[in-house]
mmCIF file of all heavy atoms in Angstrom:
data_model
loop_
_atom_site.group_PDB
_atom_site.id
_atom_site.type_symbol
_atom_site.label_atom_id
_atom_site.label_comp_id
_atom_site.label_asym_id
_atom_site.label_seq_id
_atom_site.Cartn_x
_atom_site.Cartn_y
_atom_site.Cartn_z
ATOM 1 N N ALA A 1355 -5.278 14.982 -20.580
ATOM 2 C CA ALA A 1355 -5.840 15.589 -19.375
ATOM 3 C C ALA A 1355 -4.780 16.498 -18.771
ATOM 4 O O ALA A 1355 -3.590 16.357 -19.064
ATOM 5 C CB ALA A 1355 -6.240 14.507 -18.370
ATOM 6 N N ARG A 1356 -5.203 17.389 -17.933
ATOM 7 C CA ARG A 1356 -4.260 18.261 -17.226
ATOM 8 C C ARG A 1356 -4.124 17.773 -15.792
ATOM 9 O O ARG A 1356 -5.082 17.258 -15.206
ATOM 10 C CB ARG A 1356 -4.766 19.698 -17.231
ATOM 11 C CG ARG A 1356 -3.749 20.631 -16.610
ATOM 12 C CD ARG A 1356 -4.078 22.074 -16.839
ATOM 13 N NE ARG A 1356 -2.949 22.877 -16.370
ATOM 14 C CZ ARG A 1356 -3.074 24.086 -15.895
ATOM 15 N NH1 ARG A 1356 -4.257 24.666 -15.847
ATOM 16 N NH2 ARG A 1356 -2.019 24.742 -15.485
ATOM 17 N N VAL A 1357 -2.948 17.927 -15.226
ATOM 18 C CA VAL A 1357 -2.720 17.572 -13.826
ATOM 19 C C VAL A 1357 -3.701 18.368 -12.971
ATOM 20 O O VAL A 1357 -3.869 19.575 -13.156
ATOM 21 C CB VAL A 1357 -1.265 17.884 -13.406
ATOM 22 C CG1 VAL A 1357 -1.082 17.673 -11.910
ATOM 23 C CG2 VAL A 1357 -0.279 17.036 -14.192
ATOM 24 N N LYS A 1358 -4.353 17.656 -12.042
ATOM 25 C CA LYS A 1358 -5.302 18.283 -11.122
ATOM 26 C C LYS A 1358 -4.714 18.277 -9.714
ATOM 27 O O LYS A 1358 -3.888 17.439 -9.381
ATOM 28 C CB LYS A 1358 -6.629 17.509 -11.123
ATOM 29 C CG LYS A 1358 -7.352 17.506 -12.459
ATOM 30 C CD LYS A 1358 -8.636 16.712 -12.426
ATOM 31 C CE LYS A 1358 -8.492 15.225 -12.476
ATOM 32 N NZ LYS A 1358 -7.763 14.647 -13.577
ATOM 33 N N GLU A 1359 -5.182 19.171 -8.902
ATOM 34 C CA GLU A 1359 -4.674 19.279 -7.538
ATOM 35 C C GLU A 1359 -4.806 17.956 -6.785
ATOM 36 O O GLU A 1359 -3.898 17.545 -6.062
ATOM 37 C CB GLU A 1359 -5.433 20.391 -6.798
ATOM 38 C CG GLU A 1359 -4.795 20.767 -5.490
ATOM 39 C CD GLU A 1359 -5.447 21.989 -4.859
ATOM 40 O OE1 GLU A 1359 -5.774 22.932 -5.572
ATOM 41 O OE2 GLU A 1359 -5.618 21.947 -3.619
ATOM 42 N N LYS A 1360 -5.922 17.249 -6.988
ATOM 43 C CA LYS A 1360 -6.130 15.994 -6.258
ATOM 44 C C LYS A 1360 -5.181 14.878 -6.706
ATOM 45 O O LYS A 1360 -4.960 13.924 -5.972
ATOM 46 C CB LYS A 1360 -7.592 15.540 -6.323
ATOM 47 C CG LYS A 1360 -8.063 15.043 -7.666
ATOM 48 C CD LYS A 1360 -9.559 14.734 -7.610
ATOM 49 C CE LYS A 1360 -9.948 13.517 -8.389
ATOM 50 N NZ LYS A 1360 -9.650 12.238 -7.849
ATOM 51 N N ASP A 1361 -4.575 15.024 -7.897
ATOM 52 C CA ASP A 1361 -3.613 14.020 -8.365
ATOM 53 C C ASP A 1361 -2.442 13.868 -7.390
ATOM 54 O O ASP A 1361 -1.899 12.778 -7.235
ATOM 55 C CB ASP A 1361 -3.060 14.387 -9.747
ATOM 56 C CG ASP A 1361 -4.101 14.247 -10.854
ATOM 57 O OD1 ASP A 1361 -5.097 13.523 -10.661
ATOM 58 O OD2 ASP A 1361 -3.901 14.875 -11.915
ATOM 59 N N PHE A 1362 -2.079 14.960 -6.736
ATOM 60 C CA PHE A 1362 -0.935 14.910 -5.823
ATOM 61 C C PHE A 1362 -1.221 14.039 -4.597
ATOM 62 O O PHE A 1362 -0.307 13.489 -3.996
ATOM 63 C CB PHE A 1362 -0.501 16.320 -5.423
ATOM 64 C CG PHE A 1362 -0.021 17.119 -6.598
ATOM 65 C CD1 PHE A 1362 -0.785 18.164 -7.109
ATOM 66 C CD2 PHE A 1362 1.174 16.811 -7.226
ATOM 67 C CE1 PHE A 1362 -0.352 18.888 -8.212
ATOM 68 C CE2 PHE A 1362 1.620 17.528 -8.332
ATOM 69 C CZ PHE A 1362 0.845 18.571 -8.821
ATOM 70 N N ASP A 1363 -2.484 13.892 -4.247
ATOM 71 C CA ASP A 1363 -2.873 12.989 -3.162
ATOM 72 C C ASP A 1363 -3.195 11.595 -3.690
ATOM 73 O O ASP A 1363 -2.931 10.599 -3.037
ATOM 74 C CB ASP A 1363 -4.093 13.541 -2.408
ATOM 75 C CG ASP A 1363 -3.754 14.750 -1.556
ATOM 76 O OD1 ASP A 1363 -2.650 14.768 -0.960
ATOM 77 O OD2 ASP A 1363 -4.579 15.672 -1.493
ATOM 78 N N ASP A 1364 -3.778 11.531 -4.891
ATOM 79 C CA ASP A 1364 -4.264 10.261 -5.435
ATOM 80 C C ASP A 1364 -3.165 9.335 -5.957
ATOM 81 O O ASP A 1364 -3.368 8.126 -6.032
ATOM 82 C CB ASP A 1364 -5.267 10.512 -6.573
ATOM 83 C CG ASP A 1364 -6.576 11.095 -6.078
ATOM 84 O OD1 ASP A 1364 -6.803 11.122 -4.850
ATOM 85 O OD2 ASP A 1364 -7.380 11.532 -6.933
ATOM 86 N N PHE A 1365 -2.020 9.881 -6.356
ATOM 87 C CA PHE A 1365 -0.952 9.064 -6.940
ATOM 88 C C PHE A 1365 0.219 8.926 -5.983
ATOM 89 O O PHE A 1365 0.522 9.832 -5.220
ATOM 90 C CB PHE A 1365 -0.492 9.649 -8.284
ATOM 91 C CG PHE A 1365 -1.523 9.475 -9.367
ATOM 92 C CD1 PHE A 1365 -2.474 10.455 -9.607
ATOM 93 C CD2 PHE A 1365 -1.554 8.315 -10.126
ATOM 94 C CE1 PHE A 1365 -3.444 10.285 -10.577
ATOM 95 C CE2 PHE A 1365 -2.521 8.130 -11.099
ATOM 96 C CZ PHE A 1365 -3.470 9.122 -11.327
ATOM 97 N N ASP A 1366 0.881 7.750 -6.039
ATOM 98 C CA ASP A 1366 2.049 7.462 -5.203
ATOM 99 C C ASP A 1366 3.336 7.955 -5.845
ATOM 100 O O ASP A 1366 4.284 8.322 -5.156
ATOM 101 C CB ASP A 1366 2.180 5.949 -4.979
ATOM 102 C CG ASP A 1366 0.932 5.367 -4.363
ATOM 103 O OD1 ASP A 1366 0.543 5.830 -3.282
ATOM 104 O OD2 ASP A 1366 0.335 4.468 -4.981
ATOM 105 N N MET A 1367 3.374 7.902 -7.168
ATOM 106 C CA MET A 1367 4.551 8.325 -7.925
ATOM 107 C C MET A 1367 4.065 9.220 -9.059
ATOM 108 O O MET A 1367 3.187 8.828 -9.826
ATOM 109 C CB MET A 1367 5.290 7.117 -8.503
ATOM 110 C CG MET A 1367 5.749 6.116 -7.462
ATOM 111 S SD MET A 1367 6.498 4.659 -8.229
ATOM 112 C CE MET A 1367 8.138 5.297 -8.524
ATOM 113 N N ILE A 1368 4.654 10.408 -9.159
ATOM 114 C CA ILE A 1368 4.311 11.347 -10.225
ATOM 115 C C ILE A 1368 5.613 11.607 -10.973
ATOM 116 O O ILE A 1368 6.535 12.233 -10.440
ATOM 117 C CB ILE A 1368 3.679 12.629 -9.648
ATOM 118 C CG1 ILE A 1368 2.420 12.250 -8.856
ATOM 119 C CG2 ILE A 1368 3.373 13.615 -10.763
ATOM 120 C CD1 ILE A 1368 1.817 13.371 -8.042
ATOM 121 N N LEU A 1369 5.680 11.066 -12.183
ATOM 122 C CA LEU A 1369 6.945 10.992 -12.908
ATOM 123 C C LEU A 1369 6.957 11.927 -14.109
ATOM 124 O O LEU A 1369 6.212 11.726 -15.075
ATOM 125 C CB LEU A 1369 7.197 9.551 -13.349
ATOM 126 C CG LEU A 1369 7.175 8.536 -12.196
ATOM 127 C CD1 LEU A 1369 7.314 7.123 -12.728
ATOM 128 C CD2 LEU A 1369 8.264 8.850 -11.183
ATOM 129 N N ALA A 1370 7.812 12.933 -14.034
ATOM 130 C CA ALA A 1370 7.929 13.938 -15.094
ATOM 131 C C ALA A 1370 8.910 13.476 -16.162
ATOM 132 O O ALA A 1370 9.840 12.718 -15.895
ATOM 133 C CB ALA A 1370 8.394 15.265 -14.491
ATOM 134 N N MET A 1371 8.688 13.973 -17.371
ATOM 135 C CA MET A 1371 9.553 13.614 -18.498
ATOM 136 C C MET A 1371 10.804 14.472 -18.571
ATOM 137 O O MET A 1371 11.806 14.050 -19.147
ATOM 138 C CB MET A 1371 8.783 13.758 -19.823
ATOM 139 C CG MET A 1371 7.546 12.891 -19.913
ATOM 140 S SD MET A 1371 7.927 11.140 -19.842
ATOM 141 C CE MET A 1371 6.701 10.599 -18.666
ATOM 142 N N ASP A 1372 10.748 15.698 -18.013
ATOM 143 C CA ASP A 1372 11.907 16.592 -18.110
ATOM 144 C C ASP A 1372 11.938 17.553 -16.926
ATOM 145 O O ASP A 1372 11.014 17.590 -16.113
ATOM 146 C CB ASP A 1372 11.908 17.350 -19.446
ATOM 147 C CG ASP A 1372 10.654 18.183 -19.653
ATOM 148 O OD1 ASP A 1372 10.155 18.797 -18.683
ATOM 149 O OD2 ASP A 1372 10.156 18.225 -20.799
ATOM 150 N N TRP A 1373 13.034 18.331 -16.853
ATOM 151 C CA TRP A 1373 13.236 19.250 -15.728
ATOM 152 C C TRP A 1373 12.160 20.322 -15.668
ATOM 153 O O TRP A 1373 11.719 20.696 -14.582
ATOM 154 C CB TRP A 1373 14.614 19.902 -15.816
ATOM 155 C CG TRP A 1373 15.753 18.953 -15.670
ATOM 156 C CD1 TRP A 1373 16.646 18.587 -16.633
ATOM 157 C CD2 TRP A 1373 16.137 18.231 -14.492
ATOM 158 N NE1 TRP A 1373 17.549 17.680 -16.129
ATOM 159 C CE2 TRP A 1373 17.263 17.451 -14.811
ATOM 160 C CE3 TRP A 1373 15.627 18.170 -13.196
ATOM 161 C CZ2 TRP A 1373 17.897 16.623 -13.888
ATOM 162 C CZ3 TRP A 1373 16.251 17.349 -12.268
ATOM 163 C CH2 TRP A 1373 17.374 16.587 -12.625
ATOM 164 N N ASP A 1374 11.748 20.860 -16.830
ATOM 165 C CA ASP A 1374 10.734 21.921 -16.841
ATOM 166 C C ASP A 1374 9.429 21.447 -16.222
ATOM 167 O O ASP A 1374 8.825 22.142 -15.406
ATOM 168 C CB ASP A 1374 10.475 22.422 -18.269
ATOM 169 C CG ASP A 1374 11.643 23.210 -18.839
ATOM 170 O OD1 ASP A 1374 12.486 23.698 -18.051
ATOM 171 O OD2 ASP A 1374 11.711 23.343 -20.075
ATOM 172 N N ASN A 1375 8.996 20.258 -16.621
ATOM 173 C CA ASN A 1375 7.739 19.750 -16.081
ATOM 174 C C ASN A 1375 7.880 19.336 -14.616
ATOM 175 O O ASN A 1375 6.943 19.505 -13.837
ATOM 176 C CB ASN A 1375 7.192 18.616 -16.958
ATOM 177 C CG ASN A 1375 6.626 19.174 -18.242
ATOM 178 O OD1 ASN A 1375 5.624 19.871 -18.239
ATOM 179 N ND2 ASN A 1375 7.289 18.894 -19.351
ATOM 180 N N LEU A 1376 9.050 18.838 -14.233
ATOM 181 C CA LEU A 1376 9.278 18.529 -12.822
ATOM 182 C C LEU A 1376 9.195 19.818 -11.997
ATOM 183 O O LEU A 1376 8.563 19.850 -10.938
ATOM 184 C CB LEU A 1376 10.631 17.845 -12.622
ATOM 185 C CG LEU A 1376 10.975 17.459 -11.187
ATOM 186 C CD1 LEU A 1376 9.954 16.478 -10.610
ATOM 187 C CD2 LEU A 1376 12.385 16.872 -11.118
ATOM 188 N N SER A 1377 9.796 20.875 -12.494
ATOM 189 C CA SER A 1377 9.763 22.165 -11.799
ATOM 190 C C SER A 1377 8.323 22.681 -11.672
ATOM 191 O O SER A 1377 7.918 23.157 -10.602
ATOM 192 C CB SER A 1377 10.621 23.181 -12.547
ATOM 193 O OG SER A 1377 10.551 24.438 -11.919
ATOM 194 N N LEU A 1378 7.557 22.569 -12.727
ATOM 195 C CA LEU A 1378 6.144 22.993 -12.675
ATOM 196 C C LEU A 1378 5.364 22.159 -11.655
ATOM 197 O O LEU A 1378 4.549 22.696 -10.899
ATOM 198 C CB LEU A 1378 5.501 22.885 -14.057
ATOM 199 C CG LEU A 1378 5.921 23.945 -15.066
ATOM 200 C CD1 LEU A 1378 5.456 23.578 -16.466
ATOM 201 C CD2 LEU A 1378 5.380 25.315 -14.661
ATOM 202 N N LEU A 1379 5.625 20.863 -11.633
ATOM 203 C CA LEU A 1379 4.953 19.993 -10.657
ATOM 204 C C LEU A 1379 5.332 20.388 -9.231
ATOM 205 O O LEU A 1379 4.476 20.393 -8.336
ATOM 206 C CB LEU A 1379 5.307 18.522 -10.914
ATOM 207 C CG LEU A 1379 4.683 17.899 -12.156
ATOM 208 C CD1 LEU A 1379 5.342 16.551 -12.456
ATOM 209 C CD2 LEU A 1379 3.172 17.746 -11.994
ATOM 210 N N GLN A 1380 6.598 20.725 -9.021
ATOM 211 C CA GLN A 1380 7.042 21.141 -7.691
ATOM 212 C C GLN A 1380 6.342 22.427 -7.262
ATOM 213 O O GLN A 1380 6.026 22.602 -6.086
ATOM 214 C CB GLN A 1380 8.568 21.316 -7.671
ATOM 215 C CG GLN A 1380 9.295 20.001 -7.755
ATOM 216 C CD GLN A 1380 10.781 20.146 -8.036
ATOM 217 O OE1 GLN A 1380 11.239 21.154 -8.596
ATOM 218 N NE2 GLN A 1380 11.553 19.136 -7.663
ATOM 219 N N GLN A 1381 6.085 23.313 -8.212
ATOM 220 C CA GLN A 1381 5.364 24.550 -7.906
ATOM 221 C C GLN A 1381 3.886 24.291 -7.624
ATOM 222 O O GLN A 1381 3.278 24.965 -6.793
ATOM 223 C CB GLN A 1381 5.494 25.543 -9.073
ATOM 224 C CG GLN A 1381 6.892 26.065 -9.288
ATOM 225 C CD GLN A 1381 7.023 26.821 -10.596
ATOM 226 O OE1 GLN A 1381 6.114 27.530 -11.004
ATOM 227 N NE2 GLN A 1381 8.163 26.671 -11.254
ATOM 228 N N MET A 1382 3.315 23.304 -8.307
ATOM 229 C CA MET A 1382 1.885 22.996 -8.178
ATOM 230 C C MET A 1382 1.570 22.151 -6.939
ATOM 231 O O MET A 1382 0.507 22.301 -6.345
ATOM 232 C CB MET A 1382 1.406 22.224 -9.423
ATOM 233 C CG MET A 1382 1.491 22.991 -10.716
ATOM 234 S SD MET A 1382 1.314 21.901 -12.168
ATOM 235 C CE MET A 1382 -0.420 21.481 -12.084
ATOM 236 N N ALA A 1383 2.473 21.262 -6.578
ATOM 237 C CA ALA A 1383 2.199 20.266 -5.531
ATOM 238 C C ALA A 1383 2.325 20.861 -4.133
ATOM 239 O O ALA A 1383 3.236 21.646 -3.867
ATOM 240 C CB ALA A 1383 3.164 19.092 -5.657
ATOM 241 N N PRO A 1384 1.434 20.419 -3.236
ATOM 242 C CA PRO A 1384 1.626 20.786 -1.827
ATOM 243 C C PRO A 1384 2.958 20.190 -1.343
ATOM 244 O O PRO A 1384 3.366 19.120 -1.801
ATOM 245 C CB PRO A 1384 0.449 20.106 -1.119
ATOM 246 C CG PRO A 1384 -0.541 19.797 -2.195
ATOM 247 C CD PRO A 1384 0.249 19.600 -3.453
ATOM 248 N N LYS A 1385 3.619 20.873 -0.440
ATOM 249 C CA LYS A 1385 4.929 20.413 0.080
ATOM 250 C C LYS A 1385 4.868 18.965 0.566
ATOM 251 O O LYS A 1385 5.807 18.205 0.382
ATOM 252 C CB LYS A 1385 5.391 21.315 1.226
ATOM 253 C CG LYS A 1385 5.819 22.693 0.768
ATOM 254 C CD LYS A 1385 7.303 22.711 0.480
ATOM 255 C CE LYS A 1385 7.793 24.121 0.246
ATOM 256 N NZ LYS A 1385 8.066 24.416 -1.155
ATOM 257 N N ARG A 1386 3.753 18.584 1.174
ATOM 258 C CA ARG A 1386 3.634 17.227 1.727
ATOM 259 C C ARG A 1386 3.718 16.137 0.645
ATOM 260 O O ARG A 1386 3.904 14.965 0.970
ATOM 261 C CB ARG A 1386 2.336 17.088 2.519
ATOM 262 C CG ARG A 1386 1.082 17.072 1.672
ATOM 263 C CD ARG A 1386 -0.204 16.914 2.489
ATOM 264 N NE ARG A 1386 -1.366 16.854 1.641
ATOM 265 C CZ ARG A 1386 -2.001 17.917 1.146
ATOM 266 N NH1 ARG A 1386 -1.578 19.133 1.451
ATOM 267 N NH2 ARG A 1386 -3.049 17.763 0.371
ATOM 268 N N ASN A 1387 3.560 16.524 -0.619
ATOM 269 C CA ASN A 1387 3.591 15.558 -1.711
ATOM 270 C C ASN A 1387 4.851 15.627 -2.569
ATOM 271 O O ASN A 1387 4.968 14.890 -3.543
ATOM 272 C CB ASN A 1387 2.360 15.733 -2.607
ATOM 273 C CG ASN A 1387 1.070 15.463 -1.888
ATOM 274 O OD1 ASN A 1387 0.203 16.328 -1.825
ATOM 275 N ND2 ASN A 1387 0.927 14.285 -1.319
ATOM 276 N N HIS A 1388 5.787 16.473 -2.219
ATOM 277 C CA HIS A 1388 6.992 16.631 -3.038
ATOM 278 C C HIS A 1388 7.803 15.344 -3.148
ATOM 279 O O HIS A 1388 8.490 15.128 -4.148
ATOM 280 C CB HIS A 1388 7.862 17.780 -2.523
ATOM 281 C CG HIS A 1388 7.399 19.108 -3.012
ATOM 282 N ND1 HIS A 1388 8.260 20.134 -3.282
ATOM 283 C CD2 HIS A 1388 6.155 19.588 -3.303
ATOM 284 C CE1 HIS A 1388 7.573 21.179 -3.713
ATOM 285 N NE2 HIS A 1388 6.290 20.874 -3.720
ATOM 286 N N HIS A 1389 7.717 14.471 -2.157
ATOM 287 C CA HIS A 1389 8.471 13.208 -2.208
ATOM 288 C C HIS A 1389 7.983 12.288 -3.327
ATOM 289 O O HIS A 1389 8.691 11.364 -3.721
ATOM 290 C CB HIS A 1389 8.375 12.485 -0.854
ATOM 291 C CG HIS A 1389 6.994 12.005 -0.535
ATOM 292 N ND1 HIS A 1389 5.988 12.845 -0.091
ATOM 293 C CD2 HIS A 1389 6.446 10.769 -0.616
ATOM 294 C CE1 HIS A 1389 4.881 12.136 0.093
ATOM 295 N NE2 HIS A 1389 5.132 10.883 -0.215
ATOM 296 N N LYS A 1390 6.810 12.541 -3.869
ATOM 297 C CA LYS A 1390 6.258 11.701 -4.937
ATOM 298 C C LYS A 1390 6.765 12.104 -6.317
ATOM 299 O O LYS A 1390 6.584 11.365 -7.279
ATOM 300 C CB LYS A 1390 4.727 11.817 -4.941
ATOM 301 C CG LYS A 1390 4.064 11.351 -3.668
ATOM 302 C CD LYS A 1390 2.570 11.553 -3.756
ATOM 303 C CE LYS A 1390 1.866 11.072 -2.507
ATOM 304 N NZ LYS A 1390 0.403 11.146 -2.642
ATOM 305 N N LEU A 1391 7.371 13.274 -6.428
ATOM 306 C CA LEU A 1391 7.775 13.847 -7.713
ATOM 307 C C LEU A 1391 9.185 13.415 -8.084
ATOM 308 O O LEU A 1391 10.123 13.593 -7.311
ATOM 309 C CB LEU A 1391 7.703 15.377 -7.650
ATOM 310 C CG LEU A 1391 6.404 15.989 -7.138
ATOM 311 C CD1 LEU A 1391 6.552 17.497 -7.024
ATOM 312 C CD2 LEU A 1391 5.227 15.609 -8.019
ATOM 313 N N GLN A 1392 9.317 12.849 -9.286
ATOM 314 C CA GLN A 1392 10.624 12.386 -9.772
ATOM 315 C C GLN A 1392 10.646 12.475 -11.292
ATOM 316 O O GLN A 1392 9.610 12.630 -11.927
ATOM 317 C CB GLN A 1392 10.862 10.925 -9.385
ATOM 318 C CG GLN A 1392 10.852 10.637 -7.912
ATOM 319 C CD GLN A 1392 11.031 9.152 -7.666
ATOM 320 O OE1 GLN A 1392 12.075 8.598 -7.948
ATOM 321 N NE2 GLN A 1392 10.007 8.516 -7.129
ATOM 322 N N LEU A 1393 11.834 12.312 -11.857
ATOM 323 C CA LEU A 1393 11.971 12.170 -13.303
ATOM 324 C C LEU A 1393 11.813 10.692 -13.660
ATOM 325 O O LEU A 1393 12.373 9.824 -12.968
ATOM 326 C CB LEU A 1393 13.344 12.657 -13.775
ATOM 327 C CG LEU A 1393 13.601 14.156 -13.695
ATOM 328 C CD1 LEU A 1393 15.076 14.432 -13.958
ATOM 329 C CD2 LEU A 1393 12.733 14.908 -14.697
ATOM 330 N N LEU A 1394 11.091 10.399 -14.719
ATOM 331 C CA LEU A 1394 10.913 9.009 -15.150
ATOM 332 C C LEU A 1394 12.256 8.352 -15.462
ATOM 333 O O LEU A 1394 12.477 7.184 -15.133
ATOM 334 C CB LEU A 1394 10.002 8.940 -16.380
ATOM 335 C CG LEU A 1394 9.857 7.569 -17.041
ATOM 336 C CD1 LEU A 1394 9.325 6.522 -16.065
ATOM 337 C CD2 LEU A 1394 8.967 7.659 -18.270
ATOM 338 N N MET A 1395 13.182 9.093 -16.064
ATOM 339 C CA MET A 1395 14.465 8.500 -16.473
ATOM 340 C C MET A 1395 15.316 8.042 -15.299
ATOM 341 O O MET A 1395 16.312 7.346 -15.486
ATOM 342 C CB MET A 1395 15.243 9.463 -17.372
ATOM 343 C CG MET A 1395 14.720 9.524 -18.799
ATOM 344 S SD MET A 1395 14.698 7.937 -19.663
ATOM 345 C CE MET A 1395 16.454 7.707 -19.986
ATOM 346 N N ARG A 1396 14.914 8.380 -14.097
ATOM 347 C CA ARG A 1396 15.609 7.871 -12.905
ATOM 348 C C ARG A 1396 15.609 6.334 -12.887
ATOM 349 O O ARG A 1396 16.476 5.713 -12.293
ATOM 350 C CB ARG A 1396 14.897 8.413 -11.671
ATOM 351 C CG ARG A 1396 15.413 7.881 -10.378
ATOM 352 C CD ARG A 1396 14.659 8.520 -9.201
ATOM 353 N NE ARG A 1396 15.189 8.007 -7.973
ATOM 354 C CZ ARG A 1396 14.694 6.939 -7.338
ATOM 355 N NH1 ARG A 1396 13.656 6.296 -7.814
ATOM 356 N NH2 ARG A 1396 15.230 6.521 -6.212
ATOM 357 N N PHE A 1397 14.630 5.737 -13.532
ATOM 358 C CA PHE A 1397 14.471 4.277 -13.520
ATOM 359 C C PHE A 1397 15.136 3.592 -14.714
ATOM 360 O O PHE A 1397 15.104 2.374 -14.821
ATOM 361 C CB PHE A 1397 12.982 3.920 -13.460
ATOM 362 C CG PHE A 1397 12.313 4.462 -12.235
ATOM 363 C CD1 PHE A 1397 11.632 5.669 -12.283
ATOM 364 C CD2 PHE A 1397 12.407 3.799 -11.025
ATOM 365 C CE1 PHE A 1397 11.030 6.197 -11.143
ATOM 366 C CE2 PHE A 1397 11.827 4.314 -9.874
ATOM 367 C CZ PHE A 1397 11.132 5.519 -9.943
ATOM 368 N N ALA A 1398 15.725 4.375 -15.618
ATOM 369 C CA ALA A 1398 16.371 3.810 -16.811
ATOM 370 C C ALA A 1398 17.678 3.117 -16.439
ATOM 371 O O ALA A 1398 18.373 3.528 -15.509
ATOM 372 C CB ALA A 1398 16.644 4.915 -17.827
ATOM 373 N N THR A 1399 17.989 2.063 -17.159
ATOM 374 C CA THR A 1399 19.242 1.348 -16.919
ATOM 375 C C THR A 1399 20.128 1.299 -18.169
ATOM 376 O O THR A 1399 21.313 1.027 -18.065
ATOM 377 C CB THR A 1399 18.976 -0.098 -16.452
ATOM 378 O OG1 THR A 1399 18.223 -0.777 -17.458
ATOM 379 C CG2 THR A 1399 18.229 -0.121 -15.127
ATOM 380 N N GLU A 1400 19.560 1.562 -19.338
ATOM 381 C CA GLU A 1400 20.304 1.450 -20.594
ATOM 382 C C GLU A 1400 20.726 2.796 -21.165
ATOM 383 O O GLU A 1400 21.664 2.857 -21.949
ATOM 384 C CB GLU A 1400 19.455 0.721 -21.650
ATOM 385 C CG GLU A 1400 19.007 -0.670 -21.231
ATOM 386 C CD GLU A 1400 20.170 -1.630 -21.066
ATOM 387 O OE1 GLU A 1400 21.105 -1.581 -21.880
ATOM 388 O OE2 GLU A 1400 20.145 -2.422 -20.103
ATOM 389 N N HIS A 1401 20.019 3.859 -20.821
ATOM 390 C CA HIS A 1401 20.291 5.180 -21.387
ATOM 391 C C HIS A 1401 20.765 6.128 -20.292
ATOM 392 O O HIS A 1401 20.260 6.096 -19.175
ATOM 393 C CB HIS A 1401 19.045 5.741 -22.074
ATOM 394 C CG HIS A 1401 18.616 4.947 -23.258
ATOM 395 N ND1 HIS A 1401 17.762 3.869 -23.163
ATOM 396 C CD2 HIS A 1401 18.941 5.043 -24.563
ATOM 397 C CE1 HIS A 1401 17.580 3.349 -24.363
ATOM 398 N NE2 HIS A 1401 18.282 4.041 -25.228
ATOM 399 N N GLU A 1402 21.709 6.984 -20.639
ATOM 400 C CA GLU A 1402 22.312 7.895 -19.680
ATOM 401 C C GLU A 1402 21.536 9.196 -19.486
ATOM 402 O O GLU A 1402 21.756 9.910 -18.528
ATOM 403 C CB GLU A 1402 23.741 8.250 -20.137
ATOM 404 C CG GLU A 1402 24.681 7.067 -20.152
ATOM 405 C CD GLU A 1402 25.031 6.566 -18.767
ATOM 406 O OE1 GLU A 1402 25.201 7.397 -17.855
ATOM 407 O OE2 GLU A 1402 25.123 5.341 -18.583
#
């Protein structure tokens, strides 16, 4: 599926796999939802 505009309101955490996709999400998301956007690897504990 493709990210939809309503996803930015419907989800609490929107986790990108890489910088390019995070950047695209930041461009797509309303400013009020930018706090939900993160990289998934932020939660990793074993890999750098």
Side-chain angles (χ1 to χ4, degrees):
R1356 185 169 188 210
V1357 173
K1358 297 179 283 304
E1359 192 172 320
K1360 71 185 218 76
D1361 290 339
F1362 297 108
D1363 288 322
D1364 291 349
F1365 289 92
D1366 303 303
M1367 302 176 82
I1368 301 170
L1369 304 175
M1371 301 297 134
D1372 59 39
W1373 295 112
D1374 290 340
N1375 286 293
L1376 181 60
S1377 178
L1378 286 168
L1379 288 168
Q1380 289 168 336
Q1381 293 169 37
M1382 296 166 72
K1385 289 268 189 255
R1386 71 179 182 277
N1387 297 122
H1388 278 213
H1389 67 283
K1390 299 178 179 186
L1391 309 175
Q1392 300 177 66
L1393 291 170
L1394 173 58
M1395 283 302 286
R1396 175 178 181 268
F1397 300 96
T1399 59
E1400 302 295 320
H1401 295 88
E1402 296 290 322

